[in-house]
Amino acid sequence: MDKKMEAHAVSVFYGQTQALYDISLTIPARHVTALIGPSGCGKSTFLRCLNRMNDVVEDCVVRGSILLDGQNIYAPSVDTVMLRARVGMVFQKPNPFPKSIFDNVAYGPRIHGMAKTKADLEEIVVESLKRAGLWQEVKDRLHTEGTSLSGGQQQRLCIARSIAISPEVILMDEPCSALDPIATAKIEELIDDLKANYTIIIVTHSMQQAARVSQTTAFFHMGKMIEVGPTDVLFTNPKNERTQGYITGRFG
Amino acid sequence: MIDHKNRSFRRRHWRDRVFRRVAVGCVGFALLALLTLLSSLIAQGWGAFVSYSVEIQAQDIPPNLPSSDRAAVVAIITSFLQTPVTSKQDVIRLFGADAGSQLVAWLKQPQGPLRLRLSDDADMVLKHSYQDSPLKPEQRKILNDLRDLGVVRQHFNITFFTSGDSREPELVGIYSALVGSLLTLATAFVMAFPIGVMTAIYLTEYAKPSAWRTWVEININNLAAVPSIVFGLLGLSLFIQFLGWPRSTPLVGGAVLALIILPTLVIATTAALKSVPTSIRMAALAMGASKTQMVFHHVVPYSIPGIMTGSILSMAHILGETAPLLLIGMVAFIVDVPGGITEAATTLPVQIFLWSESPERAFAEKTAGAILVLLVFLLIMNAVAIVLRHRHQKTWS
Ligand SMILES: Nc1ncnc2c1ncn2[C@@H]1O[C@H](COP(=O)(O)OP(=O)(O)OP(=O)(O)O)[C@@H](O)[C@H]1O
Ligand SMILES: [Mg+2]
């Protein structure tokens, strides 16, 4: 199995407080990796390290190294703009731009100069909306505001937006936490389809969701990574007792 | 237990009711004050929009008029009257200072009836029929005769909107002052808007939090509270005495007003920028936008309604500004429409101030009329700001 990303001894500090301790984790390519753990254990923090969104958080210091295809993304020569074009992100709360559906999806291709002509751009937008499973619902109203969609549609729009720039890795921070079971099922299906082409890392609070969509699961607790392994093994036969406690619902 | 809850429940309701009544009372009082102001202004100022002329059909004009225009006017009028006029001066007194030139213009191009504007004193007598008029009894008699003959017509005072200041109340208009206001506001906007918006963008989006930034922000807030007359003094010494810009002009007036609105603009723009939620900024950055792309593709465009609202409100604020303009000499007597920002001009509120100092009774209604026009402009600007704010209010998901 290829390694897409590798974290080596990553520690993160918010000012004086340390949020992550020596995390080392390998993310396999074209694979869904789930990050689980109780609230405040540092899952989002770790996710933000992978596309350097922590750079914009005040007083946040990241130590250690993270490799993307063998290259350290924290090397001084790395441009965060380029990095984020390769590592996309979907947030917990849907956050479409207050622009049309079309412009939401077209934004990334536009700023990265991915489309030479208008037709190219339209093709990218349509293709992304189709892959995000939203095309059927919005094809007649591409020029209405993205914010006028329902929550689940907005989240799929955000996914369409992030896959429009053909990232290699997609980070998802609890993408279904604001959605109902039907919308959640749609997004899970989507994740399943996407893993053929993309490497996906998803933070989730739902064990069932982790079990359904991921192949690898990492369990975080109080800023440390306690256990990582194939999802079926981790859920049926956890080695660490804290993992066992968490997945059986005894704490967290 | 139940009893206790009931009691607290009743108390809460009672408080609710009291609060609501006080609030309604306050709103009612404010509305009443506004209504009083408006109705007294309208009562005083309606006369500014109405004026009187003597209207004479072409066939009624006697042939062989004297060559002097004033004498011709007198000849025309006396041909109508039954009783002979003892003094020509009595007729002249009833007509506006431009009646002679109105006749000359009509004679050159005799289309429709001849219209001769009445003087302000005659106008006042017709509007208010007051006793202590400066018109002599024989003059009032002539006026009454003319009215009985049915040649005195009331009409919309178009002159009020098409001419500039004048010594003669029947000839004054607000047009020059309006153009002066427009030029001054445009100058102020062009000077203050780019600087204000750029300052706000820099301070909120780029400047790192530091003691220096806090200091600048505090001082901008302080500047917003400085009385405007202080800016007038500053403008006098900086723009006129130091830089040598021409006094009494929209250039200097606009520069002073720009100083006055600059802090307000910065504060309004800052608020608009800050109202763009972090989640949108994060979305842009996570798409691979650079900081500047994030700011200029997202934060600034989404703030435009807020920035526009702030700009319009600050324009409305300086439209009524008077004191600092008095200091930089915009109190000149301006008859002609200013042709540019370096020509002497006056503004609407200054014009109002000047007229309010005039002793003639006719100026009182002109003052109130000009105030009404100013209020209408302010209302329009505020309405536009409100509509903008509602129409373009962003929903953020
Ligand atoms: N911007 C920040 N500034 C300071 N501390 C922060 C910041 N963001 C997170 N933290 C702290 O870092 C720790 C980890 O937070 P993080 O958001 O990564 O947790 P999480 O596992 O994603 O939790 P949740 O499941 O509730 O989202 C928490 O103790 C939190 O208080
Ligand atoms: Mg989180």
Side-chain angles (χ1 to χ4, degrees), chain B residues 50-57 60 77 80-81 91 94-95 113-119 121-128 135 139-156:
Chain B
V50 168
S51 66
Y52 289 89
S53 292
V54 164
E55 221 174 80
I56 298 159
Q57 300 304 322
D60 299 338
I77 299 304
F80 271 84
L81 299 169
V91 176
L94 292 178
F95 286 89
L114 166 67
R115 280 183 168 196
L116 297 174
R117 191 196 312 279
L118 290 184
S119 72
D121 291 326
D123 194 82
M124 283 285 118
V125 169
L126 289 173
K127 279 175 190 157
H128 307 292
L135 290 185
Q139 294 165 349
R140 297 186 67 157
K141 167 126 193 354
I142 298 174
L143 185 60
N144 274 333
D145 289 350
L146 285 173
R147 188 158 57 178
D148 294 342
L149 283 166
V151 292
V152 175
R153 293 280 148 75
Q154 188 188 50
H155 55 81
F156 179 66

Side-chain angles (χ1 to χ4, degrees), chain A residues 81 84 95 107 112 154 161, chain B residues 279 285 287-288 297-298 397:
Chain A
V81 169
R84 289 173 197 153
N95 53 357
Y107 181 66
H112 295 297
Q154 286 187 17
R161 180 175 71 185
Chain B
S279 64
L285 291 177
M287 291 300 298
H297 293 170
H298 298 282
S397 84

Side-chain angles (χ1 to χ4, degrees), chain A residues 53 56 58 81 84 89 91 94-99 107-108 111-112 147 154 161-162 165, chain B residues 209 279-290 293-294 297-298 302 394-397:
Chain A
M53 284 298 277
V56 296
E58 265 162 45
V81 169
R84 289 173 197 153
M89 189 167 207
F91 295 80
N95 53 357
F97 300 128
K99 296 172 181 260
Y107 181 66
I111 60 170
H112 295 297
T147 46
Q154 286 187 17
R161 180 175 71 185
S162 64
I165 51 172
Chain B
S279 64
I280 296 288
R281 297 158 190 269
M282 289 294 167
L285 291 177
M287 291 300 298
S290 64
Q293 284 175 327
M294 174 194 90
H297 293 170
H298 298 282
Y302 305 155
K394 292 279 173 203
T395 40
W396 304 108
S397 84

Side-chain angles (χ1 to χ4, degrees), chain A:
Chain A
M1 206 182 321
D2 325 345
K3 298 182 251 181
K4 187 66 191 176
M5 297 191 85
E6 285 168 88
H8 289 298
V10 172
S11 296
V12 177
F13 302 83
Y14 290 111
Q16 297 299 309
T17 52
Q18 186 164 3
L20 286 180
Y21 298 83
D22 274 329
I23 309 286
S24 295
L25 179 64
T26 301
I27 314 282
R30 285 179 294 282
H31 217 74
V32 180
T33 305
L35 309 181
I36 60 169
S39 196
C41 66
K43 308 178 294 292
S44 299
T45 301
F46 180 69
L47 207 65
R48 283 199 298 268
C49 293
L50 300 177
N51 67 345
R52 289 187 54 176
M53 284 298 277
N54 276 333
D55 289 17
V56 296
V57 178
E58 265 162 45
D59 300 332
C60 181
V61 179
V62 178
R63 284 225 212 98
S65 63
I66 293 176
L67 310 184
L68 173 64
D69 287 337
Q71 263 189 323
N72 187 1
I73 62 170
Y74 279 89
S77 63
V78 169
D79 182 2
T80 53
V81 169
M82 288 306 296
L83 171 69
R84 289 173 197 153
R86 295 176 66 191
V87 183
M89 189 167 207
V90 176
F91 295 80
Q92 174 171 359
K93 240 183 92 218
N95 53 357
F97 300 128
K99 296 172 181 260
S100 73
I101 293 172
F102 184 92
D103 286 340
N104 260 282
V105 183
Y107 181 66
R110 277 194 184 125
I111 60 170
H112 295 297
M114 290 166 63
K116 295 270 178 303
T117 64
K118 250 187 107 182
D120 282 356
L121 186 64
E122 272 166 27
E123 197 187 310
I124 295 177
V125 170
V126 173
E127 189 55 33
S128 310
L129 285 169
K130 278 183 180 158
R131 280 211 228 162
L134 192 60
W135 176 246
Q136 283 306 322
E137 289 153 77
V138 300
K139 63 171 189 270
D140 300 322
R141 47 170 175 156
L142 289 179
H143 295 283
T144 55
E145 290 256 314
T147 46
S148 68
L149 297 171
S150 78
Q153 289 172 329
Q154 286 187 17
Q155 194 60 301
R156 277 179 286 149
L157 177 63
C158 293
I159 294 176
R161 180 175 71 185
S162 64
I163 58 185
I165 51 172
S166 315
E168 298 154 37
V169 181
I170 303 176
L171 311 174
M172 298 185 173
D173 194 349
E174 300 179 48
C176 303
S177 66
L179 307 183
D180 71 18
I182 296 169
T184 302
K186 278 201 176 140
I187 295 203
E188 287 180 6
E189 234 172 84
L190 174 62
I191 293 171
D192 219 46
D193 293 342
L194 291 175
K195 76 165 189 287
N197 299 305
Y198 305 94
T199 301
I200 294 170
I201 304 160
I202 179 171
V203 170
T204 176
H205 275 285
S206 153
M207 290 330 124
Q208 290 86 345
Q209 183 169 63
R212 281 195 300 263
V213 300
S214 72
Q215 288 78 54
T216 304
T217 299
F219 172 63
F220 282 63
H221 183 55
M222 294 181 63
K224 297 194 176 74
M225 197 184 68
I226 307 298
E227 189 169 348
V228 61
T231 300
D232 42 1
V233 177
L234 190 113
F235 276 103
T236 50
N237 197 3
K239 292 189 197 68
N240 190 294
E241 63 189 87
R242 273 177 294 184
T243 315
Q244 176 145 32
Y246 183 70
I247 60 181
T248 54
R250 262 185 280 124
F251 76 93

